[in-house]
Amino acid sequence: MNPTEFASIRWRERDVRIEYVRIAPERTNAPLVVFLHEGLGSVAMWKDFPQQLCDAGGYRGLVFSRPGYGRSTPRDEDEHWDVDFMHRQACEVLPAFFNAIHLQEKPWLFGHSDGGSIALLYAAQFPHAVAGIVVVAPHIFVEDVTVANIEEARQAYLSTDLPQRLGKYHNSADSAFWGWNRIWLHPPFRRWNIEAELGAIRCPVLAMQGVDDEYGTLEQIQGIARQVPATQLVELPDCGHSPHRDQPEKAIVSAVTFIDLHRSSTP
């Protein structure tokens, strides 16, 4: 990947710095894949997976850290995200970031977990602004198994070296962890559900999930297919919540095959 760059956006009434990295920008005529990280992710936590996927498909890539994560501006200590936090990322942060870097083409979005949900919301809100989306272990509603494992993550953060390990990937581990953990465990968030919004999606969709996903059942991707019937589903055996780590070769082959199938029909 190329050196880290930073873009400035105005969000939540303050200036926010967004960390991002470009992959193979010299492939000027190649599709652009934008990677949207998970609830505790960042540019660095993707490691070399975006590079591997882009090299396999001959694509360009764009990897960035959302506000509160990685080397992007951390949350203020008194900043608490609300039930609509993923909607705000999709409808406010992502368009502002694209505008800040002068993105004028239709990207492909590759989103993992919360990043997958954000990709779905962006595609529903801006149906003509995206070439297609690959969502990996996305959430479209809240399940008991999700909440139970996020509660376990909270206990691990309070009682193990998890803060130190996360600190390798974030300027502020507390910013990344508590921004994500508190809202997912906030009782009103149990009613969060984006199924009804998915019907507005018009681009190709690939939804991928591990059969052994500890943060959600296969109802998450099957629910997408009910709302967007042309969705291609990939269910990976012997795979947990992170197919790009548990089954990277299969994740890459599935994504590249999907993008190449649809790119010829996408301006």
Side-chain angles (χ1 to χ4, degrees):
M1 291 193 289
N2 281 19
T4 301
E5 302 179 61
F6 292 92
S8 295
I9 67 170
R10 185 76 180 170
W11 188 58
R12 297 180 71 112
E13 301 181 351
R14 66 175 181 147
D15 293 325
V16 175
R17 191 173 78 152
I18 302 293
E19 168 198 28
Y20 69 101
V21 174
R22 302 178 192 267
I23 298 172
E26 69 278 4
R27 298 171 183 156
T28 53
N29 294 321
L32 174 67
V33 181
V34 179
F35 294 84
L36 308 179
H37 64 73
E38 63 192 288
L40 291 179
S42 66
V43 167
M45 281 195 73
W46 281 108
K47 298 187 177 177
D48 62 353
F49 178 81
Q51 183 76 56
Q52 290 181 359
L53 190 150
C54 289
D55 287 346
Y59 311 141
R60 288 172 296 140
L62 182 65
V63 191
F64 76 101
S65 298
R66 296 194 296 273
Y69 296 93
R71 311 308 170 202
S72 295
T73 302
R75 287 181 311 109
D76 288 336
E77 289 187 10
D78 60 351
E79 178 184 334
H80 294 275
W81 295 343
D82 210 340
V83 174
D84 66 349
F85 83 100
M86 282 189 271
H87 287 77
R88 296 192 66 174
Q89 292 290 330
C91 301
E92 299 172 6
V93 172
L94 203 50
F97 172 59
F98 286 163
N99 184 64
I101 63 171
H102 308 293
L103 182 67
Q104 297 181 339
E105 63 190 285
K106 291 183 179 182
W108 295 80
L109 303 182
F110 186 106
H112 174 226
S113 193
D114 286 11
S117 305
I118 293 166
L120 290 164
L121 288 167
Y122 183 85
Q125 181 67 27
F126 307 102
H128 304 296
V130 60
I133 60 175
V134 178
V135 293
V136 179
H139 306 284
I140 61 171
F141 57 89
V142 180
E143 296 182 280
D144 291 343
V145 65
T146 315
V147 174
N149 278 283
I150 291 175
E151 176 61 38
E152 286 188 14
R154 178 181 181 275
Q155 296 304 318
Y157 194 81
L158 293 172
S159 61
T160 71
D161 66 345
L162 181 56
Q164 289 72 36
R165 289 187 282 126
L166 282 178
K168 299 176 183 178
Y169 304 103
H170 305 280
N171 279 349
S172 170
D174 282 352
S175 168
F177 184 84
W178 293 117
W180 165 78
N181 191 265
R182 283 176 178 148
I183 185 56
W184 270 96
L185 296 181
H186 189 41
F189 195 70
R190 293 300 296 267
R191 297 188 295 274
W192 178 85
N193 185 309
I194 63 171
E195 289 176 278
E197 300 174 54
L198 303 182
I201 294 175
R202 296 292 178 265
C203 68
V205 179
L206 170 64
M208 185 188 315
Q209 189 171 4
V211 172
D212 305 313
D213 189 342
E214 62 273 30
Y215 282 95
T217 71
L218 292 174
E219 268 297 302
Q220 298 292 338
I221 61 171
Q222 292 166 359
I224 297 171
R226 286 193 291 271
Q227 299 299 322
V228 188
T231 298
Q232 178 181 335
L233 297 183
V234 175
E235 300 176 2
L236 295 171
D238 300 316
C239 181
H241 187 58
S242 301
H244 59 293
R245 289 193 280 267
D246 295 346
Q247 300 277 359
E249 292 184 2
K250 292 181 179 179
I252 289 171
V253 169
S254 297
V256 169
T257 302
F258 169 77
I259 293 173
D260 287 350
L261 175 65
H262 293 283
R263 63 185 286 193
S264 59
S265 61
T266 304

